[in-house]
Every structure is written in structure tokens, then in C-alpha cells.
PDB file of all heavy atoms in Angstrom:
ATOM      1  N   SER A  12       0.836  -1.198   0.000  1.00  0.00           N
ATOM      2  CA  SER A  12       0.000   0.000   0.000  1.00  0.00           C
ATOM      3  C   SER A  12       0.870   1.247   0.000  1.00  0.00           C
ATOM      4  O   SER A  12       1.994   1.252   0.519  1.00  0.00           O
ATOM      5  CB  SER A  12      -0.932   0.007   1.213  1.00  0.00           C
ATOM      6  OG  SER A  12      -0.188   0.061   2.419  1.00  0.00           O
ATOM      7  N   LEU A  13       0.341   2.283  -0.588  1.00  0.00           N
ATOM      8  CA  LEU A  13       1.013   3.576  -0.664  1.00  0.00           C
ATOM      9  C   LEU A  13      -0.055   4.647  -0.474  1.00  0.00           C
ATOM     10  O   LEU A  13      -1.063   4.651  -1.192  1.00  0.00           O
ATOM     11  CB  LEU A  13       1.709   3.741  -2.016  1.00  0.00           C
ATOM     12  CG  LEU A  13       2.510   5.022  -2.253  1.00  0.00           C
ATOM     13  CD1 LEU A  13       3.644   5.163  -1.250  1.00  0.00           C
ATOM     14  CD2 LEU A  13       3.077   5.045  -3.684  1.00  0.00           C
ATOM     15  N   GLU A  14       0.155   5.511   0.509  1.00  0.00           N
ATOM     16  CA  GLU A  14      -0.840   6.525   0.869  1.00  0.00           C
ATOM     17  C   GLU A  14      -2.200   5.890   1.171  1.00  0.00           C
ATOM     18  O   GLU A  14      -3.259   6.460   0.889  1.00  0.00           O
ATOM     19  CB  GLU A  14      -0.986   7.566  -0.255  1.00  0.00           C
ATOM     20  CG  GLU A  14       0.289   8.289  -0.620  1.00  0.00           C
ATOM     21  CD  GLU A  14       0.856   9.122   0.530  1.00  0.00           C
ATOM     22  OE1 GLU A  14       0.097   9.430   1.464  1.00  0.00           O
ATOM     23  OE2 GLU A  14       2.055   9.459   0.477  1.00  0.00           O
ATOM     24  N   GLY A  15      -2.165   4.678   1.732  1.00  0.00           N
ATOM     25  CA  GLY A  15      -3.389   3.988   2.105  1.00  0.00           C
ATOM     26  C   GLY A  15      -4.125   3.326   0.963  1.00  0.00           C
ATOM     27  O   GLY A  15      -5.233   2.815   1.144  1.00  0.00           O
ATOM     28  N   VAL A  16      -3.521   3.292  -0.205  1.00  0.00           N
ATOM     29  CA  VAL A  16      -4.143   2.698  -1.385  1.00  0.00           C
ATOM     30  C   VAL A  16      -3.402   1.406  -1.748  1.00  0.00           C
ATOM     31  O   VAL A  16      -2.167   1.406  -1.820  1.00  0.00           O
ATOM     32  CB  VAL A  16      -4.102   3.671  -2.581  1.00  0.00           C
ATOM     33  CG1 VAL A  16      -4.703   3.027  -3.829  1.00  0.00           C
ATOM     34  CG2 VAL A  16      -4.836   4.964  -2.249  1.00  0.00           C
ATOM     35  N   PRO A  17      -4.117   0.301  -2.001  1.00  0.00           N
ATOM     36  CA  PRO A  17      -3.462  -0.926  -2.453  1.00  0.00           C
ATOM     37  C   PRO A  17      -2.780  -0.701  -3.807  1.00  0.00           C
ATOM     38  O   PRO A  17      -3.412  -0.205  -4.750  1.00  0.00           O
ATOM     39  CB  PRO A  17      -4.617  -1.919  -2.592  1.00  0.00           C
ATOM     40  CG  PRO A  17      -5.697  -1.383  -1.698  1.00  0.00           C
ATOM     41  CD  PRO A  17      -5.563   0.102  -1.786  1.00  0.00           C
ATOM     42  N   VAL A  18      -1.504  -1.045  -3.886  1.00  0.00           N
ATOM     43  CA  VAL A  18      -0.740  -0.822  -5.112  1.00  0.00           C
ATOM     44  C   VAL A  18       0.170  -2.009  -5.396  1.00  0.00           C
ATOM     45  O   VAL A  18       0.492  -2.809  -4.509  1.00  0.00           O
ATOM     46  CB  VAL A  18       0.129   0.456  -5.028  1.00  0.00           C
ATOM     47  CG1 VAL A  18      -0.729   1.702  -4.867  1.00  0.00           C
ATOM     48  CG2 VAL A  18       1.170   0.354  -3.924  1.00  0.00           C
ATOM     49  N   VAL A  19       0.581  -2.095  -6.653  1.00  0.00           N
ATOM     50  CA  VAL A  19       1.672  -2.979  -7.066  1.00  0.00           C
ATOM     51  C   VAL A  19       2.631  -2.116  -7.868  1.00  0.00           C
ATOM     52  O   VAL A  19       2.256  -1.552  -8.905  1.00  0.00           O
ATOM     53  CB  VAL A  19       1.176  -4.156  -7.928  1.00  0.00           C
ATOM     54  CG1 VAL A  19       2.354  -5.063  -8.282  1.00  0.00           C
ATOM     55  CG2 VAL A  19       0.086  -4.931  -7.226  1.00  0.00           C
ATOM     56  N   VAL A  20       3.860  -1.966  -7.389  1.00  0.00           N
ATOM     57  CA  VAL A  20       4.859  -1.115  -8.030  1.00  0.00           C
ATOM     58  C   VAL A  20       5.897  -2.005  -8.709  1.00  0.00           C
ATOM     59  O   VAL A  20       6.394  -2.963  -8.109  1.00  0.00           O
ATOM     60  CB  VAL A  20       5.539  -0.182  -7.009  1.00  0.00           C
ATOM     61  CG1 VAL A  20       6.621   0.656  -7.681  1.00  0.00           C
ATOM     62  CG2 VAL A  20       4.502   0.730  -6.346  1.00  0.00           C
ATOM     63  N   VAL A  21       6.236  -1.667  -9.953  1.00  0.00           N
ATOM     64  CA  VAL A  21       7.139  -2.538 -10.710  1.00  0.00           C
ATOM     65  C   VAL A  21       7.975  -1.741 -11.697  1.00  0.00           C
ATOM     66  O   VAL A  21       7.497  -0.775 -12.299  1.00  0.00           O
ATOM     67  CB  VAL A  21       6.343  -3.635 -11.452  1.00  0.00           C
ATOM     68  CG1 VAL A  21       5.252  -3.035 -12.337  1.00  0.00           C
ATOM     69  CG2 VAL A  21       7.249  -4.542 -12.276  1.00  0.00           C
ATOM     70  N   LYS A  22       9.239  -2.129 -11.828  1.00  0.00           N
ATOM     71  CA  LYS A  22      10.100  -1.638 -12.902  1.00  0.00           C
ATOM     72  C   LYS A  22       9.973  -2.632 -14.051  1.00  0.00           C
ATOM     73  O   LYS A  22      10.364  -3.797 -13.924  1.00  0.00           O
ATOM     74  CB  LYS A  22      11.559  -1.560 -12.437  1.00  0.00           C
ATOM     75  CG  LYS A  22      12.513  -1.069 -13.518  1.00  0.00           C
ATOM     76  CD  LYS A  22      13.962  -1.225 -13.098  1.00  0.00           C
ATOM     77  CE  LYS A  22      14.426  -2.668 -13.271  1.00  0.00           C
ATOM     78  NZ  LYS A  22      15.878  -2.841 -13.056  1.00  0.00           N
ATOM     79  N   CYS A  23       9.445  -2.179 -15.176  1.00  0.00           N
ATOM     80  CA  CYS A  23       9.188  -3.112 -16.284  1.00  0.00           C
ATOM     81  C   CYS A  23      10.394  -3.304 -17.190  1.00  0.00           C
ATOM     82  O   CYS A  23      10.478  -4.304 -17.907  1.00  0.00           O
ATOM     83  CB  CYS A  23       7.985  -2.639 -17.105  1.00  0.00           C
ATOM     84  SG  CYS A  23       8.249  -1.131 -18.060  1.00  0.00           S
ATOM     85  N   GLY A  24      11.319  -2.355 -17.190  1.00  0.00           N
ATOM     86  CA  GLY A  24      12.392  -2.381 -18.173  1.00  0.00           C
ATOM     87  C   GLY A  24      12.019  -1.509 -19.357  1.00  0.00           C
ATOM     88  O   GLY A  24      10.858  -1.139 -19.551  1.00  0.00           O
ATOM     89  N   ILE A  25      13.007  -1.184 -20.165  1.00  0.00           N
ATOM     90  CA  ILE A  25      12.821  -0.226 -21.258  1.00  0.00           C
ATOM     91  C   ILE A  25      12.223  -0.897 -22.490  1.00  0.00           C
ATOM     92  O   ILE A  25      12.598  -2.010 -22.849  1.00  0.00           O
ATOM     93  CB  ILE A  25      14.161   0.448 -21.594  1.00  0.00           C
ATOM     94  CG1 ILE A  25      14.627   1.308 -20.412  1.00  0.00           C
ATOM     95  CG2 ILE A  25      14.063   1.308 -22.851  1.00  0.00           C
ATOM     96  CD1 ILE A  25      16.042   1.827 -20.524  1.00  0.00           C
ATOM     97  N   GLY A  26      11.311  -0.198 -23.134  1.00  0.00           N
ATOM     98  CA  GLY A  26      10.778  -0.659 -24.411  1.00  0.00           C
ATOM     99  C   GLY A  26       9.354  -1.155 -24.348  1.00  0.00           C
ATOM    100  O   GLY A  26       8.826  -1.502 -23.290  1.00  0.00           O
ATOM    101  N   LYS A  27       8.729  -1.202 -25.531  1.00  0.00           N
ATOM    102  CA  LYS A  27       7.301  -1.488 -25.622  1.00  0.00           C
ATOM    103  C   LYS A  27       6.939  -2.923 -25.246  1.00  0.00           C
ATOM    104  O   LYS A  27       5.897  -3.160 -24.634  1.00  0.00           O
ATOM    105  CB  LYS A  27       6.799  -1.181 -27.033  1.00  0.00           C
ATOM    106  CG  LYS A  27       6.849   0.297 -27.400  1.00  0.00           C
ATOM    107  CD  LYS A  27       6.018   0.588 -28.648  1.00  0.00           C
ATOM    108  CE  LYS A  27       6.491  -0.243 -29.820  1.00  0.00           C
ATOM    109  NZ  LYS A  27       5.648  -0.059 -31.002  1.00  0.00           N
ATOM    110  N   VAL A  28       7.777  -3.882 -25.593  1.00  0.00           N
ATOM    111  CA  VAL A  28       7.453  -5.281 -25.272  1.00  0.00           C
ATOM    112  C   VAL A  28       7.456  -5.494 -23.766  1.00  0.00           C
ATOM    113  O   VAL A  28       6.522  -6.086 -23.195  1.00  0.00           O
ATOM    114  CB  VAL A  28       8.437  -6.241 -25.964  1.00  0.00           C
ATOM    115  CG1 VAL A  28       8.201  -7.675 -25.498  1.00  0.00           C
ATOM    116  CG2 VAL A  28       8.287  -6.165 -27.481  1.00  0.00           C
ATOM    117  N   ASN A  29       8.500  -5.026 -23.106  1.00  0.00           N
ATOM    118  CA  ASN A  29       8.564  -5.137 -21.637  1.00  0.00           C
ATOM    119  C   ASN A  29       7.339  -4.499 -20.989  1.00  0.00           C
ATOM    120  O   ASN A  29       6.746  -5.054 -20.059  1.00  0.00           O
ATOM    121  CB  ASN A  29       9.824  -4.442 -21.110  1.00  0.00           C
ATOM    122  CG  ASN A  29      11.081  -5.253 -21.326  1.00  0.00           C
ATOM    123  OD1 ASN A  29      11.049  -6.471 -21.341  1.00  0.00           O
ATOM    124  ND2 ASN A  29      12.194  -4.572 -21.499  1.00  0.00           N
ATOM    125  N   ALA A  30       6.983  -3.318 -21.465  1.00  0.00           N
ATOM    126  CA  ALA A  30       5.889  -2.563 -20.857  1.00  0.00           C
ATOM    127  C   ALA A  30       4.550  -3.276 -21.020  1.00  0.00           C
ATOM    128  O   ALA A  30       3.764  -3.377 -20.066  1.00  0.00           O
ATOM    129  CB  ALA A  30       5.825  -1.166 -21.480  1.00  0.00           C
ATOM    130  N   ALA A  31       4.263  -3.755 -22.216  1.00  0.00           N
ATOM    131  CA  ALA A  31       2.993  -4.442 -22.464  1.00  0.00           C
ATOM    132  C   ALA A  31       2.911  -5.744 -21.677  1.00  0.00           C
ATOM    133  O   ALA A  31       1.866  -6.086 -21.107  1.00  0.00           O
ATOM    134  CB  ALA A  31       2.827  -4.709 -23.956  1.00  0.00           C
ATOM    135  N   LEU A  32       4.017  -6.478 -21.633  1.00  0.00           N
ATOM    136  CA  LEU A  32       4.064  -7.725 -20.867  1.00  0.00           C
ATOM    137  C   LEU A  32       3.785  -7.451 -19.394  1.00  0.00           C
ATOM    138  O   LEU A  32       3.068  -8.208 -18.726  1.00  0.00           O
ATOM    139  CB  LEU A  32       5.440  -8.370 -21.041  1.00  0.00           C
ATOM    140  CG  LEU A  32       5.714  -9.678 -20.290  1.00  0.00           C
ATOM    141  CD1 LEU A  32       4.736 -10.761 -20.715  1.00  0.00           C
ATOM    142  CD2 LEU A  32       7.150 -10.129 -20.522  1.00  0.00           C
ATOM    143  N   CYS A  33       4.322  -6.350 -18.895  1.00  0.00           N
ATOM    144  CA  CYS A  33       4.134  -5.984 -17.493  1.00  0.00           C
ATOM    145  C   CYS A  33       2.660  -5.738 -17.178  1.00  0.00           C
ATOM    146  O   CYS A  33       2.148  -6.178 -16.143  1.00  0.00           O
ATOM    147  CB  CYS A  33       4.955  -4.737 -17.179  1.00  0.00           C
ATOM    148  SG  CYS A  33       4.926  -4.250 -15.451  1.00  0.00           S
ATOM    149  N   VAL A  34       1.967  -5.036 -18.066  1.00  0.00           N
ATOM    150  CA  VAL A  34       0.538  -4.787 -17.850  1.00  0.00           C
ATOM    151  C   VAL A  34      -0.238  -6.096 -17.793  1.00  0.00           C
ATOM    152  O   VAL A  34      -1.121  -6.280 -16.944  1.00  0.00           O
ATOM    153  CB  VAL A  34      -0.033  -3.893 -18.968  1.00  0.00           C
ATOM    154  CG1 VAL A  34      -1.555  -3.764 -18.822  1.00  0.00           C
ATOM    155  CG2 VAL A  34       0.598  -2.514 -18.933  1.00  0.00           C
ATOM    156  N   GLN A  35       0.108  -7.026 -18.678  1.00  0.00           N
ATOM    157  CA  GLN A  35      -0.614  -8.300 -18.696  1.00  0.00           C
ATOM    158  C   GLN A  35      -0.407  -9.081 -17.402  1.00  0.00           C
ATOM    159  O   GLN A  35      -1.343  -9.691 -16.876  1.00  0.00           O
ATOM    160  CB  GLN A  35      -0.172  -9.143 -19.899  1.00  0.00           C
ATOM    161  CG  GLN A  35      -1.129 -10.266 -20.233  1.00  0.00           C
ATOM    162  CD  GLN A  35      -2.517  -9.741 -20.575  1.00  0.00           C
ATOM    163  OE1 GLN A  35      -2.670  -8.880 -21.430  1.00  0.00           O
ATOM    164  NE2 GLN A  35      -3.530 -10.240 -19.879  1.00  0.00           N
ATOM    165  N   ILE A  36       0.805  -9.044 -16.879  1.00  0.00           N
ATOM    166  CA  ILE A  36       1.080  -9.719 -15.601  1.00  0.00           C
ATOM    167  C   ILE A  36       0.309  -9.039 -14.470  1.00  0.00           C
ATOM    168  O   ILE A  36      -0.270  -9.709 -13.611  1.00  0.00           O
ATOM    169  CB  ILE A  36       2.592  -9.721 -15.309  1.00  0.00           C
ATOM    170  CG1 ILE A  36       3.330 -10.583 -16.338  1.00  0.00           C
ATOM    171  CG2 ILE A  36       2.867 -10.237 -13.898  1.00  0.00           C
ATOM    172  CD1 ILE A  36       4.840 -10.465 -16.280  1.00  0.00           C
ATOM    173  N   LEU A  37       0.284  -7.709 -14.472  1.00  0.00           N
ATOM    174  CA  LEU A  37      -0.469  -6.980 -13.448  1.00  0.00           C
ATOM    175  C   LEU A  37      -1.948  -7.349 -13.488  1.00  0.00           C
ATOM    176  O   LEU A  37      -2.606  -7.471 -12.451  1.00  0.00           O
ATOM    177  CB  LEU A  37      -0.307  -5.478 -13.642  1.00  0.00           C
ATOM    178  CG  LEU A  37       1.029  -4.866 -13.212  1.00  0.00           C
ATOM    179  CD1 LEU A  37       1.136  -3.428 -13.697  1.00  0.00           C
ATOM    180  CD2 LEU A  37       1.211  -4.940 -11.703  1.00  0.00           C
ATOM    181  N   SER A  38      -2.473  -7.548 -14.690  1.00  0.00           N
ATOM    182  CA  SER A  38      -3.883  -7.908 -14.835  1.00  0.00           C
ATOM    183  C   SER A  38      -4.132  -9.352 -14.427  1.00  0.00           C
ATOM    184  O   SER A  38      -5.040  -9.641 -13.640  1.00  0.00           O
ATOM    185  CB  SER A  38      -4.323  -7.690 -16.288  1.00  0.00           C
ATOM    186  OG  SER A  38      -5.671  -8.064 -16.468  1.00  0.00           O
ATOM    187  N   ASP A  39      -3.324 -10.261 -14.928  1.00  0.00           N
ATOM    188  CA  ASP A  39      -3.564 -11.696 -14.714  1.00  0.00           C
ATOM    189  C   ASP A  39      -3.182 -12.170 -13.314  1.00  0.00           C
ATOM    190  O   ASP A  39      -3.907 -12.957 -12.698  1.00  0.00           O
ATOM    191  CB  ASP A  39      -2.775 -12.516 -15.744  1.00  0.00           C
ATOM    192  CG  ASP A  39      -3.314 -12.387 -17.153  1.00  0.00           C
ATOM    193  OD1 ASP A  39      -4.456 -11.903 -17.305  1.00  0.00           O
ATOM    194  OD2 ASP A  39      -2.596 -12.759 -18.102  1.00  0.00           O
ATOM    195  N   CYS A  40      -2.055 -11.723 -12.832  1.00  0.00           N
ATOM    196  CA  CYS A  40      -1.510 -12.263 -11.581  1.00  0.00           C
ATOM    197  C   CYS A  40      -1.835 -11.410 -10.343  1.00  0.00           C
ATOM    198  O   CYS A  40      -1.838 -11.934  -9.222  1.00  0.00           O
ATOM    199  CB  CYS A  40       0.005 -12.412 -11.694  1.00  0.00           C
ATOM    200  SG  CYS A  40       0.538 -13.496 -13.046  1.00  0.00           S
ATOM    201  N   PHE A  41      -2.084 -10.133 -10.543  1.00  0.00           N
ATOM    202  CA  PHE A  41      -2.308  -9.244  -9.400  1.00  0.00           C
ATOM    203  C   PHE A  41      -3.693  -8.613  -9.403  1.00  0.00           C
ATOM    204  O   PHE A  41      -4.066  -7.945  -8.450  1.00  0.00           O
ATOM    205  CB  PHE A  41      -1.234  -8.148  -9.368  1.00  0.00           C
ATOM    206  CG  PHE A  41       0.146  -8.689  -9.147  1.00  0.00           C
ATOM    207  CD1 PHE A  41       0.963  -9.002 -10.225  1.00  0.00           C
ATOM    208  CD2 PHE A  41       0.637  -8.907  -7.865  1.00  0.00           C
ATOM    209  CE1 PHE A  41       2.239  -9.509 -10.034  1.00  0.00           C
ATOM    210  CE2 PHE A  41       1.909  -9.413  -7.665  1.00  0.00           C
ATOM    211  CZ  PHE A  41       2.712  -9.717  -8.750  1.00  0.00           C
ATOM    212  N   GLU A  42      -4.418  -8.795 -10.479  1.00  0.00           N
ATOM    213  CA  GLU A  42      -5.803  -8.318 -10.603  1.00  0.00           C
ATOM    214  C   GLU A  42      -5.929  -6.831 -10.270  1.00  0.00           C
ATOM    215  O   GLU A  42      -6.811  -6.420  -9.520  1.00  0.00           O
ATOM    216  CB  GLU A  42      -6.735  -9.155  -9.723  1.00  0.00           C
ATOM    217  CG  GLU A  42      -6.770 -10.621 -10.133  1.00  0.00           C
ATOM    218  CD  GLU A  42      -7.715 -11.456  -9.287  1.00  0.00           C
ATOM    219  OE1 GLU A  42      -7.978 -11.063  -8.125  1.00  0.00           O
ATOM    220  OE2 GLU A  42      -8.206 -12.473  -9.786  1.00  0.00           O
ATOM    221  N   VAL A  43      -5.026  -6.029 -10.838  1.00  0.00           N
ATOM    222  CA  VAL A  43      -5.120  -4.585 -10.623  1.00  0.00           C
ATOM    223  C   VAL A  43      -6.363  -4.051 -11.323  1.00  0.00           C
ATOM    224  O   VAL A  43      -6.871  -4.639 -12.286  1.00  0.00           O
ATOM    225  CB  VAL A  43      -3.865  -3.839 -11.122  1.00  0.00           C
ATOM    226  CG1 VAL A  43      -2.614  -4.337 -10.400  1.00  0.00           C
ATOM    227  CG2 VAL A  43      -3.709  -3.954 -12.629  1.00  0.00           C
ATOM    228  N   THR A  44      -6.856  -2.928 -10.830  1.00  0.00           N
ATOM    229  CA  THR A  44      -8.058  -2.313 -11.400  1.00  0.00           C
ATOM    230  C   THR A  44      -7.741  -1.065 -12.220  1.00  0.00           C
ATOM    231  O   THR A  44      -8.575  -0.625 -13.028  1.00  0.00           O
ATOM    232  CB  THR A  44      -9.038  -1.922 -10.281  1.00  0.00           C
ATOM    233  OG1 THR A  44      -8.375  -1.022  -9.371  1.00  0.00           O
ATOM    234  CG2 THR A  44      -9.516  -3.164  -9.528  1.00  0.00           C
ATOM    235  N   HIS A  45      -6.562  -0.478 -11.996  1.00  0.00           N
ATOM    236  CA  HIS A  45      -6.134   0.723 -12.709  1.00  0.00           C
ATOM    237  C   HIS A  45      -4.625   0.630 -12.945  1.00  0.00           C
ATOM    238  O   HIS A  45      -3.925  -0.082 -12.221  1.00  0.00           O
ATOM    239  CB  HIS A  45      -6.421   1.998 -11.903  1.00  0.00           C
ATOM    240  CG  HIS A  45      -7.857   2.208 -11.557  1.00  0.00           C
ATOM    241  ND1 HIS A  45      -8.511   1.457 -10.594  1.00  0.00           N
ATOM    242  CD2 HIS A  45      -8.765   3.090 -12.039  1.00  0.00           C
ATOM    243  CE1 HIS A  45      -9.765   1.873 -10.503  1.00  0.00           C
ATOM    244  NE2 HIS A  45      -9.947   2.866 -11.360  1.00  0.00           N
ATOM    245  N   VAL A  46      -4.145   1.376 -13.944  1.00  0.00           N
ATOM    246  CA  VAL A  46      -2.714   1.377 -14.258  1.00  0.00           C
ATOM    247  C   VAL A  46      -2.212   2.813 -14.390  1.00  0.00           C
ATOM    248  O   VAL A  46      -2.849   3.654 -15.045  1.00  0.00           O
ATOM    249  CB  VAL A  46      -2.426   0.619 -15.574  1.00  0.00           C
ATOM    250  CG1 VAL A  46      -0.968   0.787 -15.990  1.00  0.00           C
ATOM    251  CG2 VAL A  46      -2.764  -0.859 -15.423  1.00  0.00           C
ATOM    252  N   ILE A  47      -1.081   3.086 -13.742  1.00  0.00           N
ATOM    253  CA  ILE A  47      -0.373   4.353 -13.907  1.00  0.00           C
ATOM    254  C   ILE A  47       1.011   4.057 -14.473  1.00  0.00           C
ATOM    255  O   ILE A  47       1.718   3.187 -13.975  1.00  0.00           O
ATOM    256  CB  ILE A  47      -0.205   5.095 -12.566  1.00  0.00           C
ATOM    257  CG1 ILE A  47      -1.565   5.464 -11.972  1.00  0.00           C
ATOM    258  CG2 ILE A  47       0.647   6.349 -12.750  1.00  0.00           C
ATOM    259  CD1 ILE A  47      -1.453   6.066 -10.574  1.00  0.00           C
ATOM    260  N   ASN A  48       1.382   4.772 -15.510  1.00  0.00           N
ATOM    261  CA  ASN A  48       2.757   4.718 -16.007  1.00  0.00           C
ATOM    262  C   ASN A  48       3.445   6.021 -15.630  1.00  0.00           C
ATOM    263  O   ASN A  48       3.014   7.098 -16.031  1.00  0.00           O
ATOM    264  CB  ASN A  48       2.764   4.530 -17.524  1.00  0.00           C
ATOM    265  CG  ASN A  48       4.157   4.565 -18.130  1.00  0.00           C
ATOM    266  OD1 ASN A  48       4.340   5.057 -19.233  1.00  0.00           O
ATOM    267  ND2 ASN A  48       5.150   4.053 -17.421  1.00  0.00           N
ATOM    268  N   THR A  49       4.487   5.920 -14.835  1.00  0.00           N
ATOM    269  CA  THR A  49       5.220   7.099 -14.382  1.00  0.00           C
ATOM    270  C   THR A  49       6.640   7.069 -14.940  1.00  0.00           C
ATOM    271  O   THR A  49       7.216   6.004 -15.150  1.00  0.00           O
ATOM    272  CB  THR A  49       5.264   7.156 -12.839  1.00  0.00           C
ATOM    273  OG1 THR A  49       6.028   8.298 -12.425  1.00  0.00           O
ATOM    274  CG2 THR A  49       5.893   5.912 -12.236  1.00  0.00           C
ATOM    275  N   GLY A  50       7.191   8.239 -15.198  1.00  0.00           N
ATOM    276  CA  GLY A  50       8.564   8.262 -15.696  1.00  0.00           C
ATOM    277  C   GLY A  50       8.918   9.575 -16.360  1.00  0.00           C
ATOM    278  O   GLY A  50       8.332  10.616 -16.079  1.00  0.00           O
TER     279      GLY A  50
END
């Protein structure tokens, strides 16, 4: 949790393939409801 909100924080690595794969894992394995890309 961060600021009282359930979160999953991850470094995906550089590039589009890494990033898309990361979203799929967040959806399938962690059942996130929203996604933020920061950088």
C-alpha cells in the first residue's frame, strides 16, 4: 500500500514489449483495477 491505497509497483524495463508484458502480468496475476505509467 502507498498513501493507504493498495498498489503494485514494478520496474518493467525499457521498451514497448517489456511494458505491455508488465501490464498483462499486473492484470492476470495481481488483478489490478487501474494502471499508472510514471517516468
